[in-house]
Amino acid sequence: MAVISVAEFKQNIQSVCSNSQAVMRVQIISETKRQVRIRIFLANRTFVYVYYSSKTEKTALAHIENNKRIFGADNTEGIWHWHPYEDPQRHDLVDGKITFAEFLKRVEENIKK
């Protein structure tokens, strides 16, 4: 699978967020040709932190509340896993890739609870 550019990654994030009623604002924290850091502010006063590097293919997604990760997903060493709401320190391995759309959907479902 080809590595996607930072611009393509960022465009995907913004597209997914534009279709979410939970998202209030998307802020690019930092961006270079090889990496981007994004903060997505949510209606419930929490936020999602997104990191992507096209050089290492690392993606990290975290739902943050009170400066703590309460949920997450990433591909440490190329292996995708969830950090579930029940225990954000745990690693629940998955086959395949976790998309940002899938991640945000789980965040939205948790917010509705």
Side-chain angles (χ1 to χ4, degrees):
M1 179 178 210
V3 176
I4 66 168
S5 70
V6 166
E8 290 170 309
F9 182 86
K10 187 174 75 170
Q11 183 178 15
N12 176 61
I13 298 295
Q14 291 172 328
S15 175
V16 171
C17 288
S18 71
N19 293 315
S20 171
Q21 292 188 4
V23 173
M24 297 289 98
R25 182 167 58 102
V26 177
Q27 177 186 21
I28 306 302
I29 298 169
S30 67
E31 179 180 2
T32 66
K33 287 184 178 182
R34 295 188 178 199
Q35 71 177 15
V36 64
R37 297 172 196 270
I38 303 169
R39 183 170 288 180
I40 301 162
F41 296 91
L42 304 177
N44 71 341
R45 298 183 166 256
T46 63
F47 67 90
V48 169
Y49 172 78
V50 178
Y51 170 82
Y52 173 70
S53 168
S54 63
K55 181 179 180 180
T56 63
E57 299 183 56
K58 168 79 174 164
T59 303
L61 310 167
H63 184 194
I64 308 292
E65 182 176 58
N66 297 324
N67 294 318
K68 291 185 179 180
R69 179 180 66 191
I70 59 170
F71 176 65
D74 59 69
N75 64 339
T76 303
E77 298 179 9
I79 301 169
W80 281 95
H81 58 272
W82 293 103
H83 297 277
Y85 280 105
E86 308 83 58
D87 181 5
Q89 299 305 314
R90 192 171 77 210
H91 293 74
D92 291 350
L93 302 179
V94 296
D95 292 326
K97 180 180 179 179
I98 298 169
T99 66
F100 178 71
E102 182 181 3
F103 178 84
L104 188 59
K105 181 179 177 185
R106 288 196 183 192
V107 170
E108 291 169 335
E109 289 168 355
N110 185 69
I111 290 171
K112 290 178 184 177
K113 290 181 181 179

